[in-house]
């Protein structure tokens, strides 16, 4: 089995941060309409704090055992290895579909209604297969380009809406109840999936520091806050009545006679989802001890395509695959599972590929 070449932890956490930004890009009226901007910021802070707590089991396993959960499981007896591999494979497939379905819906309904969503899925998954076969190192290198493109898109999207900002005394109001808090916080728990990706791939990173996941979540929060701010105060109530408010924000951006940067937004959303699915395919092949194996990558890609096709024709399947409660529970279990490695893992059986934290 090919072993992944160690790569920069900064580049890896940058890739995870960019993957997490897809959450706000694909936001589709997931937040309560009865909550104020400050209330949403408080919910965001609570959600991202819990996301950081999801990193802790993987950080402990890395420091005490010198490995990630998948590296430990593949060197464990079959009665441990098999259940762990099956669980994580199912989680990665579910997570990929959780982002793939809303992305293709947005692409189809907002940008290219004449193109079949299944065709969009096939093209995107084909690109992800190539990236997954190349490995995590190559995927994270793409993250550098994606970061630069994201910066350009943000400048255009936010800068083009500056003249439309309308701030009033009511802007600093506090509005929201317990139900609104749970709905909003649940949404901001979605980025916790990057903690699971970290838990499964961190054995191959070098020069890791604890501040890196903290910085990744901090800058993710800044991105979320900026998008929420401009949606509320530049687009206003109009955005709340539309699907995919961030897409609406990209359409309202204008510079003199130039109006709309939805092409940049769509490209950024596409590359972010591409990053997510590519990393998840790398994770799932590592889970079954078949890293960079073309046939294994294609097999799981076909499983993704088949599940997506079912969801396209069966609404109940789509509801299950995009249910935020199921996703959060699934993610919580996947993030906590590395704690078992502290009990069952054997440090002597795992080559130390990392520096001490």
């Amino acid at each position: 089995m090919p072993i992944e070449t160690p790569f920069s932890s900064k580049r890896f956490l940058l890739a995870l941060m960019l993957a997490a930004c897809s959450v706000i890009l694909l936001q589709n009226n997931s937040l309560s309409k009865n909550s104020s901007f400050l209330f949403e910021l408080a919910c965001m802070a609570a959600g991202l704090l819990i996301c950081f707590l999801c990193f802790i089991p993987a950080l402990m396993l890395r420091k005490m055992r010198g490995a990630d959960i998948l590296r430990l499981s593949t060197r464990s007896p079959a009665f441990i290895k098999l259940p762990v591999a099956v669980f994580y494979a199912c989680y990665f497939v579910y997570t990929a579909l959780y982002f793939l379905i809303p992305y293709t819906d947005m692409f189809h309904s907002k940008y290219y209604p004449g193109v079949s969503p299944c065709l969009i899925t096939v093209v995107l998954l084909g690109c992800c297969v190539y990236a997954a076969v190349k490995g995590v190192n190559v995927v994270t290198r793409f993250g550098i380009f994606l970061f630069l493109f994201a910066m350009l898109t943000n400048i255009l999207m936010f800068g083009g809406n500056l003249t439309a900002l309308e701030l009033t005394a009511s802007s600093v109001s506090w509005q929201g109840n317990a139900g609104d808090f749970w709905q909003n916080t649940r949404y901001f728990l979605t980025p916790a999936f990057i903690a699971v990706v970290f838990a499964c791939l961190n054995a191959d990173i070098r020069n890791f520091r604890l501040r890196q996941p903290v910085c990744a979540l901090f800058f993710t929060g800044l991105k979320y806050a900026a998008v929420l701010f401009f949606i509320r105060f530049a687009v206003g109530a109009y955005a709340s009545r539309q699907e995919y408010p961030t897409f609406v924000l990209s359409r309202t951006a204008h510079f003199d006679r130039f109006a709309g940067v939805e092409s940049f937004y769509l490209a950024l959303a596409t590359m972010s989802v591409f990053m997510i699915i590519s990393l998840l395919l790398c994770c799932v092949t590592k889970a079954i001890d078949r890293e960079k194996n073309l046939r294994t990558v294609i097999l799981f890609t076909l499983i993704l395509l088949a599940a997506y096709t079912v969801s396209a024709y069966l609404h109940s399947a789509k509801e299950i695959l995009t249910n935020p409660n199921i996703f959060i529970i699934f993610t919580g279990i996947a993030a906590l599972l590395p704690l078992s490695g502290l009990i069952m893992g054997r440090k002597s059986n795992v080559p130390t590929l990392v520096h001490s934290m």
Side-chain angles (χ1 to χ4, degrees), residues 27-326:
Q27 200 265 121
N28 185 19
N29 295 318
S30 303
L31 299 174
S32 171
K33 296 182 180 180
N34 300 319
S35 58
S36 64
F37 175 66
L38 290 181
F39 188 84
E40 289 175 351
L41 290 185
C43 296
M44 182 190 72
L48 293 181
L49 175 60
I50 298 174
C51 288
F52 174 73
L53 296 179
C54 290
F55 275 90
I56 292 179
L59 295 173
M60 293 174 60
L61 182 61
R62 176 186 171 84
K63 184 172 181 63
M64 299 177 67
R65 298 295 185 187
D68 56 43
I69 183 62
L70 296 185
R71 185 60 55 85
L72 272 179
S73 68
T74 54
R75 285 161 173 75
S76 300
F79 71 91
I80 295 176
K81 175 181 176 179
L82 184 59
V84 171
V86 171
F87 172 81
Y88 276 109
C90 292
Y91 173 76
F92 297 136
V93 169
Y94 185 92
T95 303
L97 291 166
Y98 190 83
F99 289 97
L100 180 62
I101 291 172
Y103 164 74
T104 53
D105 284 351
M106 182 274 296
F107 191 103
H108 173 72
S109 63
K110 291 295 182 181
Y111 204 75
Y112 280 123
V115 179
S116 168
C118 291
L119 178 60
I120 300 168
T121 303
V122 170
V123 174
L124 179 62
L125 289 180
C127 296
C128 294
V129 167
Y130 176 81
V133 171
K134 289 296 182 180
V136 184
N137 194 7
V138 172
V139 176
T140 58
R141 286 179 185 173
F142 172 75
I144 299 174
F145 166 77
L146 180 55
F147 173 75
L148 297 175
F149 186 79
M151 292 296 293
L152 173 62
T153 303
N154 290 335
I155 291 172
L156 293 175
M157 192 161 59
F158 300 147
N161 281 286
L162 280 175
T163 57
L165 285 175
E166 294 183 5
L167 299 176
T168 63
S170 61
S171 301
V172 293
S173 64
W174 181 270
Q175 180 179 345
N177 55 38
D180 299 327
F181 183 82
W182 164 241
Q183 180 180 343
N184 294 352
T185 303
R186 180 184 64 182
Y187 174 73
F188 290 116
L189 284 174
T190 307
F193 80 93
I194 67 172
V196 181
V197 175
F198 177 85
C200 295
L201 298 177
N202 72 78
D204 296 309
I205 62 176
R206 61 176 186 269
N207 303 324
F208 175 75
R209 298 293 183 270
L210 178 60
R211 65 177 178 270
Q212 291 168 356
V214 175
C215 290
L217 289 173
F218 175 76
F219 286 111
T220 297
L222 286 182
K223 165 77 174 188
Y224 290 2
V227 172
L228 294 174
F229 176 82
F230 277 91
I231 287 176
R232 181 172 291 270
F233 299 116
V235 186
Y238 174 73
S240 65
R241 297 193 298 267
Q242 303 295 315
E243 293 182 319
Y244 304 103
T246 312
F247 175 82
V248 176
L249 181 66
S250 71
R251 297 203 72 171
T252 58
H254 62 278
F255 300 89
D256 196 17
R257 296 181 180 179
F258 177 78
V261 293
E262 61 268 26
S263 296
F264 286 87
Y265 160 81
L266 181 67
L268 179 60
T270 300
M271 288 187 284
S272 296
V273 174
F274 161 82
M275 177 77 73
I276 292 174
I277 297 176
S278 298
L279 287 173
L280 293 174
L281 286 174
C282 291
C283 288
V284 76
T285 55
K286 183 176 180 179
I288 61 173
D289 207 18
R290 293 289 187 276
E291 292 180 77
K292 298 185 180 182
N293 185 287
L294 177 60
R295 283 187 288 185
T296 305
V297 173
I298 291 177
L299 172 62
F300 278 95
T301 303
L302 291 175
I303 293 173
L304 280 176
L305 183 59
Y308 175 84
T309 304
V310 171
S311 71
Y313 293 98
L314 192 62
H315 186 69
S316 59
K318 182 177 180 179
E319 287 185 338
I320 293 173
L321 292 173
T322 56
N323 186 295
N325 293 324
I326 295 176

